[in-house]
Amino acid sequence: MKKIKAIIIDDEPLAHRIIERFSADIPYLDIVGKCYSATESYAILSSTEINLIFLDIQMPRLTGLDFLRTLEYVPHIVITSAFEEYALEGFELQVSDYLLKPFSFERFLKAIQLVHANLELRNTFDKGEKTVFIKVDKRQIQIEISEIHCLESYGNYVKIWLSNDMYLTPRTLTSFEEELTALTFQRVHKSFILNKDFVDYVEGNMIVLKNKMIIPIGKNYRQEVKTWF
């Protein structure tokens, strides 16, 4: 099992101690760096492959959410904050999870398991495998990658649409994007990634799939869609 390399970015020493204590009980999680401000982390991120950031929001000079917007490559993010009012904005930035302080070990473990599942899925695509296991409720379901018509963002979940089925899995759309776009998939909207093999036709700012789903083309993706023709 590949280990998750994580860093903590939080201006509170107590928060560091809690995350470190919880992490010590998860064998596949390594804390490889600790920062007390967001700007401290740039040196680590530029020199080390980091899979996960535990990120506070309210910090001096640069808030956690503003820090996220500065990153060119964004690893998995688990927000650790005492302020619940930033949760919606956090999920709009495609964070993996949002832990409200004080959080329990059980809740912490659930967040790590989600990140681990996402990383394992990435390894599946990197190996060129033709099927993938996704978590649906308490089951792990195997599906053919080539049978996926599109993926739709649904809060902190993703709807995976097949010809006659739809599965809801606890992931973010962005976590699928890097793995899938190396294949025949393309993001065409902030809420949709589709399989170009299942496109029936494009009309105006809409894409119609062969299963008759209608997908909107986001303003920022229209130029990319035009390159298909």
Side-chain angles (χ1 to χ4, degrees):
M1 180 183 292
K2 187 176 180 180
K3 289 204 170 188
I4 300 173
K5 294 182 178 179
I7 62 173
I8 304 168
I9 305 177
D10 198 308
D11 62 335
E12 298 177 355
L14 177 59
H16 285 248
R17 291 196 294 270
I18 291 171
I19 293 173
E20 287 180 291
R21 187 173 74 246
F22 285 173
S23 299
D25 289 328
I26 303 176
Y28 54 87
L29 176 61
D30 278 349
I31 303 298
V32 299
K34 299 190 298 178
C35 305
Y36 290 90
S37 71
T39 53
E40 284 182 48
S41 69
Y42 289 126
I44 298 175
L45 293 172
S46 65
S47 61
T48 307
E49 181 183 353
I50 299 299
N51 310 120
L52 170 63
I53 298 176
F54 294 105
L55 182 63
D56 188 23
I57 291 180
Q58 293 283 25
M59 293 184 290
R61 298 185 64 183
L62 187 65
T63 70
L65 295 181
D66 286 341
F67 163 73
L68 273 185
R69 296 185 182 95
T70 71
L71 296 181
E72 183 175 349
Y73 168 74
V74 183
H76 290 278
I77 304 293
V78 172
I79 296 291
T80 56
S81 174
F83 301 93
E84 61 182 343
E85 60 264 32
Y86 299 106
L88 179 59
E89 187 176 358
F91 286 122
E92 286 176 348
L93 291 171
Q94 302 294 325
V95 303
S96 296
D97 210 338
Y98 195 104
L99 301 182
L100 191 62
K101 298 175 180 176
F103 46 83
S104 65
F105 175 75
E106 180 183 6
R107 183 66 184 84
F108 180 84
L109 178 60
K110 183 178 179 180
I112 302 307
Q113 288 173 331
L114 176 61
V115 170
H116 182 258
N118 291 346
L119 290 172
E120 287 295 296
L121 182 60
R122 176 174 296 180
N123 290 337
T124 294
F125 288 114
D126 288 345
K127 292 175 183 176
E129 296 180 15
K130 296 181 179 180
T131 63
V132 63
F133 283 91
I134 60 168
K135 184 178 181 182
V136 179
D137 295 324
K138 296 182 179 180
R139 298 175 294 163
Q140 294 287 339
I141 294 178
Q142 184 175 213
I143 60 175
E144 296 279 344
I145 296 171
S146 63
E147 292 183 1
I148 299 174
H149 283 57
C150 71
L151 301 96
E152 178 184 357
S153 178
Y154 189 71
N156 202 32
Y157 288 79
V158 169
K159 293 180 179 179
I160 299 179
W161 293 93
L162 308 179
S163 295
N164 299 308
D165 291 297
M166 186 279 289
Y167 296 111
L168 187 66
T169 188
R171 288 193 55 177
T172 61
L173 196 63
T174 297
S175 69
F176 276 105
E177 187 173 9
E178 288 187 7
E179 298 95 324
L180 289 171
T181 51
L183 304 172
T184 60
F185 292 81
Q186 179 68 49
R187 191 161 190 166
V188 297
H189 187 276
K190 68 178 182 179
S191 298
F192 288 95
I193 294 174
L194 58 76
N195 187 342
K196 290 187 283 186
D197 288 345
F198 290 104
V199 172
D200 191 4
Y201 62 88
V202 179
E203 183 175 351
N205 292 323
M206 296 291 179
I207 298 171
V208 179
L209 303 185
K210 293 178 181 179
N211 65 356
K212 303 308 177 185
M213 282 190 67
I214 299 175
I215 309 296
I217 304 172
K219 181 179 179 181
N220 295 332
Y221 302 91
R222 291 173 188 169
Q223 190 60 42
E224 180 64 29
V225 172
K226 286 182 180 178
T227 66
W228 299 357
F229 310 136

